[in-house]
Amino acid sequence: MSGRVDGKVAFITGAARGQGRSHAVRLAQEGADIIAVDVCKPVSGTDLIPASTPDDLAETADLVKGLGRRIVTAEVDVRDYDALKAVVDSGVEELGRLDVVVANAGIGNGGATLDQTSEQDWQTMIDINLGGVWKAAKAGVPHLISNGGGSIILTSSVGGLKAYPNTGHYVAAKHGVVGLMRAFAVELGQHSIRVNSVHPTNVDTPMFMNEGTMKLFRPDLENPTKEDFAPVAQFMHVLPIGWVEPVDISNAVLFLASDESRYVTGVTLPVDGGSLLK
Ligand SMILES: NC(=O)c1ccc[n+]([C@@H]2O[C@H](COP(=O)([O-])OP(=O)(O)OC[C@H]3O[C@@H](n4cnc5c(N)ncnc54)[C@H](O)[C@@H]3O)[C@@H](O)[C@H]2O)c1
């Protein structure tokens, strides 16, 4: 049986865990080979959650190989354009082509007010969550052009379409991703390259499901659990959920990566349980 992205090759950033890993697995289930990169270490001195590791990226590779697909992995920081380009170039050499770019790597916001946000925090956020997206696209686009077309999917957030307090640098970066998406869509359409962004609400990954986030939602409790914070997180949504699973975002990515969306470009696609309606 043929898959929905059979024979395509997808380049995915932030693929060691969370949504990036899920995208790699979901696309591989539908017939794609994968070029997967992740920094696999802490990216700033103020990280609130444990960093991903080389073992995490190796696990992503095992999962993809277990599905009978090929995968090229590398430990690369999306802030390093030369390194990204080298990996994509050699990945394309090995796997033969490039059809899809998923610029997913990102860091969380930590819920800091403006006065608590240092210039360094601001710069790191913009460099990774906006600059890293630009660099991933830049590394992939020449290959998509020589391929005769392709699909670029940029991971934004509901915070890329609406404001939240205590997240100025994150919200600014994620709104910036929408600007990049629209600019790339009009620039690259002539090459049959489609560009869209996905906008997840809370996703059950380490970025969201951690002690700091739980305390943000339940400041009244000393040690809130998942169960304590589920009803509060549910207030954000129209549907009766507090968060979605990584595969829910991967299914949107799969649609945008596949030819099923062949005339869809310039779209901001929320996967948000209706949170943008509130
Ligand atoms: N989890 C959520 O609730 C949520 C909601 C909306 C949007 N998002 C966005 O989804 C994307 C994926 O996040 P996730 O939920 O899977 O979180 P995650 O923390 O589980 O995974 C993010 C991955 O990106 C990698 N990464 C971070 N900085 C990097 C860098 N400089 N270079 C290369 N890799 C880097 C990390 O090592 C990690 O493996 C992010 O862009 C995030 O902002 C997440």
Side-chain angles (χ1 to χ4, degrees):
M1 201 176 81
S2 68
R4 292 165 65 192
V5 285
D6 238 357
K8 293 188 192 290
V9 175
F11 163 48
I12 304 172
T13 66
R17 73 176 186 200
Q19 294 174 58
R21 173 189 286 169
S22 172
H23 300 341
V25 169
R26 190 73 191 93
L27 291 172
Q29 283 169 342
E30 295 292 339
D33 291 331
I34 309 292
I35 301 168
V37 303
D38 201 293
V39 67
C40 299
K41 63 182 180 198
V43 291
S44 77
T46 54
D47 287 351
L48 295 169
I49 53 170
S52 69
T53 64
D55 284 350
D56 291 328
L57 187 57
E59 194 175 328
T60 298
D62 287 346
L63 290 167
V64 168
K65 286 182 205 152
L67 293 162
R69 303 312 314 177
R70 295 178 295 167
I71 181 166
V72 172
T73 61
E75 289 169 37
V76 173
D77 191 318
V78 291
R79 291 171 290 185
D80 183 346
Y81 170 69
D82 290 341
L84 272 184
K85 181 177 173 344
V87 171
V88 177
D89 289 352
S90 70
V92 170
E93 178 95 29
E94 188 173 334
L95 301 177
R97 56 189 289 146
L98 187 70
D99 303 271
V100 178
V101 174
V102 187
N104 159 83
I107 56 172
N109 62 78
T113 56
L114 176 57
D115 61 309
Q116 292 164 337
T117 306
S118 67
E119 282 184 63
Q120 182 62 55
D121 293 341
W122 161 262
Q123 201 57 55
T124 305
M125 179 64 73
I126 297 299
D127 287 349
I128 295 174
N129 284 18
L130 183 57
V133 169
W134 182 82
K135 288 174 186 177
K138 186 171 163 63
V141 161
H143 297 289
L144 299 182
I145 292 175
S146 26
N147 190 43
S151 172
I152 301 177
I153 300 139
L154 309 182
T155 301
S156 178
S157 166
V158 288
L161 295 171
K162 141 181 191 184
Y164 293 91
N166 308 338
T167 55
H169 52 348
Y170 186 83
V171 163
K174 293 298 189 184
H175 274 69
V177 168
V178 175
L180 282 183
M181 180 278 286
R182 291 185 172 137
F184 292 158
V186 292
E187 183 177 329
L188 299 171
Q190 62 183 312
H191 301 290
S192 299
I193 298 171
R194 301 181 294 105
V195 191
N196 298 286
S197 51
V198 289
H199 298 263
T201 183
N202 310 327
V203 188
D204 190 354
T205 68
M207 182 181 294
F208 174 71
M209 206 55 80
N210 61 69
E211 198 188 329
T213 309
M214 291 192 207
K215 282 192 172 156
L216 261 184
F217 277 79
R218 292 302 305 261
D220 53 314
L221 299 178
E222 183 88 7
N223 293 307
T225 62
K226 215 168 165 175
E227 289 67 38
D228 293 325
F229 111 104
V232 185
Q234 192 173 316
F235 281 127
M236 292 173 67
H237 304 108
V238 170
L239 299 177
I241 51 161
W243 48 81
V244 300
E245 299 302 322
V247 72
D248 296 307
I249 314 305
S250 303
N251 285 332
V253 166
L254 171 63
F255 168 68
L256 292 172
S258 76
D259 296 341
E260 293 161 18
S261 60
R262 64 185 174 161
Y263 299 131
V264 179
T265 195
V267 160
T268 53
L269 178 57
V271 183
D272 72 334
S275 107
L276 287 166
L277 296 170
K278 293 196 111 181

